[in-house]
Amino acid sequence: MDTQVIIVGAGPVGLTLAIDLGRRGVRCILLEQKDAPQFLPKMERCNARTMEIYRRLGIAQKVRDAGFPRDAPMDVFIVTSLVEPPLLHLPYPSVAQAQAEIAACTDSSMPLEPYQLISQYTLEPLLKSVAETLPSVDVRYGHEFISFEQNNGGVSAQVKRGNTTSELSGQYLVGCDGGSSNVRRQLGIKLQGEANLLQLRQALYRCDDLFDRIPIGKGRHYHVADAHSTFLIVQDSTRHFTLHSVVDSDDGMRTMFEQTVAMPVKYEMLSCQPWRQNLLLADSYGQGRVFLAGDAVHLVIPTGGLGTNSGVGDAIDLSWKLAATLKGWGGPALLASYEIERRQIGERNVEASRHASRGRRAWRAAFKPNIRDKTSEGAETRANLTRIADVEQRKSNEMIGAELGYRYAGSPIVFAETGDAPEPDFMKYVPTTWPGARLPHVWLAGGTALHDRVGDGYTFLRLAGAQADSAILARAFASYSAPFTVLDIGEERPRDIYGYDLLLLRPDLHVVWRGNRLPDNSAKLAALATGH
């Protein structure tokens, strides 16, 4: 075998998967058709859960240093132009302010990390540089994946570099190759849902002095109340901007940018390309030894920022399960659980994106051509649009429930607790330790995050002096050679928040089981958690 895992596609999802596999000592080859990361904006932000994941990978601060300035406001505006009074101003804390709020939070209602505004053209090279430092990761740009074959023993992939085609062999293959995934097509897996809902153009501009000159206030999003679904995003350096609009030419995008800015500025349009809004989900997340992740299995409208972030969640769920299987301690249900867990989240996030998109369409439907008129009718149009937007635009910017509140229901590697499970809510996050949920963030005395005390294997968490004997459970995990540690937290507050004395956590910080005493059959719990 040339490697253990072949990864196709070096976007943020494929790179995140390679980094976590590399950290776990798994050999992988990452194939990317492009010769180098491209200077295209694509994604806009890493949400709170993605930043928690990057914190566990040890790269959260690097992402923040590369992205939107930590003291820059994240405000959202609905405008007629950048020089006229905004119709609506939604203030949001800067990263620095959000970090201060999180540091002062005494419950578990907030994430450990706030989100970070960062474009793919910044994030991708950063992740590439991290992946290339890992001895077990082989990053190969300029290598085009052509096809694969699989059998019970592994996967072989045909790869083209220049005019030369060669074959690579591995034990598993993962397609992280985007919405037009070649891997998915070869598997014969279909996408279902709503395709081509709206076609827009996205243009990237460089304008060095615009951000400091915006008279209505600094922010990150400026949505234009017009008939063209126009919105402007401030990019990482604050010297670059992306504009999205329903126009049919590059010249039209120049005109739209000038109309939106509405003051003389020197600018350069660096790229311009069409894109389509889709709400699609794959019928399956893989077959046999071949898996799919990211846009290859779910395509969303970027309202709510759930595209790349959903893919990062896929990568982290799949990574530890691949590592466990390759190291011999993961049972057959472990990799089988990947689709069961992540496809339901893909479906949920497609629906969350639809929810946010409907909100944006609702206030845009209130637009009338008289919106700028200094008449009573114009004032009525402005007031009506603003009233609707004050409710509906928030659906794109405040979906913390979708980010943090997801839970793996019906997973074969999560304990099936009886009773009424928490109801999901896109907009609100209610902390819970119900099995399958992400462990809520809690500060310990001295300012340490409990998350930071949890290792990369299974963790048996004993709270507030609980005396449960962990030896039987430890022996049960040891029988599979699965990594297992005991973490004692003597403070009362985490116990009060989590609601139980004992919790069993997975390597990805999701809860396997909770209780006030160990179950009668610890061996059965260990077998469940490890997929046996």
Side-chain angles (χ1 to χ4, degrees):
M1 293 282 181
D2 295 303
T3 192
Q4 292 176 291
V5 181
I6 301 168
I7 304 170
V8 181
V13 177
L15 284 160
T16 300
L17 176 61
I19 290 169
D20 199 49
L21 286 173
R23 286 176 65 249
R24 297 179 184 278
V26 174
R27 292 181 296 110
C28 57
I29 295 176
L30 180 60
L31 304 173
E32 172 54 55
Q33 182 176 352
K34 301 189 302 288
D35 290 328
Q38 293 182 315
F39 195 69
L40 294 173
K42 294 188 179 180
M43 65 165 285
E44 176 212 339
R45 61 175 163 169
C46 295
N47 70 19
R49 180 59 181 143
T50 294
M51 291 305 297
E52 287 184 347
I53 289 168
Y54 285 161
R55 181 183 180 117
R56 285 182 68 76
L57 297 184
I59 61 173
Q61 194 55 53
K62 289 183 178 181
V63 174
R64 296 209 184 279
D65 291 343
F68 200 58
R70 65 190 304 271
D71 58 349
M74 296 287 191
D75 297 10
V76 174
F77 295 84
I78 294 179
V79 302
T80 50
S81 75
L82 297 190
V83 300
E84 298 169 291
L87 302 176
L88 180 65
H89 175 198
L90 298 175
Y92 292 102
S94 67
V95 167
Q97 291 169 330
Q99 287 176 322
E101 291 176 7
I102 289 171
C105 184
T106 58
D107 57 23
S108 291
S109 61
M110 299 187 76
L112 174 54
E113 294 277 352
Y115 68 81
Q116 176 64 49
L117 189 65
I118 188 167
S119 180
Q120 185 162 332
Y121 66 70
T122 302
L123 181 62
E124 197 173 295
L126 187 157
L127 295 177
K128 175 177 178 286
S129 69
V130 174
E132 289 173 335
T133 67
L134 299 169
S136 58
V137 178
D138 184 354
V139 181
R140 300 185 183 182
Y141 277 70
H143 286 68
E144 180 184 1
F145 166 79
I146 303 298
S147 63
F148 73 86
E149 294 181 358
Q150 66 170 317
N151 55 42
N152 291 336
V155 183
S156 61
Q158 297 294 316
V159 180
K160 185 176 181 181
R161 184 182 186 188
N163 296 321
T164 303
T165 300
S166 60
E167 183 174 286
L168 286 176
S169 61
Q171 290 172 267
Y172 295 95
L173 184 146
V174 185
C176 305
D177 48 343
S180 59
S181 170
N182 187 8
V183 178
R184 186 191 67 236
R185 289 201 306 270
Q186 290 188 40
L187 288 171
I189 295 173
K190 304 296 184 184
L191 295 172
Q192 306 293 339
E194 300 171 85
N196 199 16
L197 292 166
L198 182 68
Q199 180 165 312
L200 303 92
R201 281 181 183 268
Q202 174 184 260
L204 175 65
Y205 307 83
R206 174 159 184 162
C207 189
D208 289 345
D209 61 347
L210 174 58
F211 187 67
D212 291 330
R213 291 178 54 196
I214 298 175
I216 63 172
K218 292 185 175 64
R220 63 184 182 94
H221 276 187
Y222 298 86
H223 295 269
V224 183
D226 66 3
H228 307 288
S229 298
T230 305
F231 60 99
L232 184 74
I233 301 174
V234 184
Q235 293 292 333
D236 311 330
S237 66
T238 72
R239 295 191 301 272
H240 291 91
F241 301 80
T242 49
L243 187 76
H244 299 253
S245 192
V246 180
V247 298
D248 58 7
S249 67
D250 292 5
D251 286 341
M253 289 298 287
R254 292 186 181 91
T255 299
M256 195 60 68
F257 181 76
E258 292 168 4
Q259 290 178 354
T260 300
V261 173
M263 57 184 175
V265 292
K266 184 179 179 180
Y267 74 90
E268 179 184 6
M269 190 166 77
L270 302 175
S271 66
C272 187
Q273 56 188 347
W275 68 279
R276 294 178 175 88
Q277 292 186 349
N278 299 293
L279 291 167
L280 299 168
L281 182 68
D283 291 336
S284 173
Y285 274 36
Q287 292 175 8
R289 291 179 170 269
V290 180
F291 298 90
L292 299 166
D295 284 358
V297 281
H298 43 70
L299 290 168
V300 301
I301 299 170
T303 45
L306 295 171
T308 296
N309 293 292
S310 299
V312 169
D314 297 339
I316 290 302
D317 187 89
L318 182 57
S319 175
W320 72 270
K321 295 171 181 177
L322 281 170
T325 304
L326 288 163
K327 291 180 180 180
W329 60 261
L334 206 59
L335 280 176
S337 73
Y338 168 65
E339 177 172 319
I340 295 168
E341 293 186 348
R342 290 308 300 176
R343 190 175 183 277
Q344 63 180 283
I345 305 306
E347 184 175 22
R348 181 173 185 241
N349 287 350
V350 167
E351 185 54 39
S353 176
R354 181 181 288 111
H355 172 77
S357 181
R358 284 173 178 165
R360 189 174 294 182
R361 290 201 303 270
W363 71 256
R364 285 198 174 278
F367 167 79
K368 293 181 180 179
N370 67 359
I371 195 165
R372 301 170 79 170
D373 292 354
K374 292 179 172 55
T375 62
S376 59
E377 292 82 4
E380 183 179 351
T381 295
R382 290 189 292 274
N384 184 50
L385 185 145
T386 300
R387 176 183 57 79
I388 298 172
D390 196 22
V391 175
E392 300 294 341
Q393 178 58 35
R394 296 179 187 275
K395 294 177 180 178
S396 294
N397 307 118
E398 301 173 14
M399 289 207 296
I400 191 67
E403 296 179 20
L404 300 180
Y406 62 91
R407 179 175 57 84
Y408 297 139
S411 171
I413 61 169
V414 170
F415 183 81
E417 187 168 305
T418 58
D420 296 326
E423 289 293 331
D425 189 318
F426 299 144
M427 304 298 291
K428 296 178 182 177
Y429 170 61
V430 179
T432 180
T433 56
W434 187 279
R438 156 198 168 273
L439 182 74
H441 155 58
V442 173
W443 290 117
L444 302 176
T448 301
L450 193 151
H451 277 201
D452 293 341
R453 297 280 303 278
V454 179
D456 287 333
Y458 292 93
T459 300
F460 184 52
L461 186 59
R462 296 191 298 201
L463 298 169
Q467 297 298 309
D469 184 2
S470 62
I472 297 175
L473 190 59
R475 286 195 296 272
F477 276 93
S479 70
Y480 301 111
S481 300
F484 175 85
T485 58
V486 178
L487 177 59
D488 287 307
I489 303 295
E491 301 171 34
E492 293 290 339
R493 194 161 61 86
R495 168 61 178 82
D496 293 341
I497 290 172
Y498 292 160
Y500 290 83
D501 293 343
L502 310 169
L503 287 90
L504 179 62
L505 308 177
R506 307 182 340 176
D508 58 357
L509 279 182
H510 283 257
V511 177
V512 176
W513 168 90
R514 62 182 180 173
N516 292 324
R517 64 180 181 85
L518 275 172
D520 294 335
N521 193 334
S522 293
K524 187 175 181 181
L525 179 58
L528 172 88
T530 55
H532 289 87

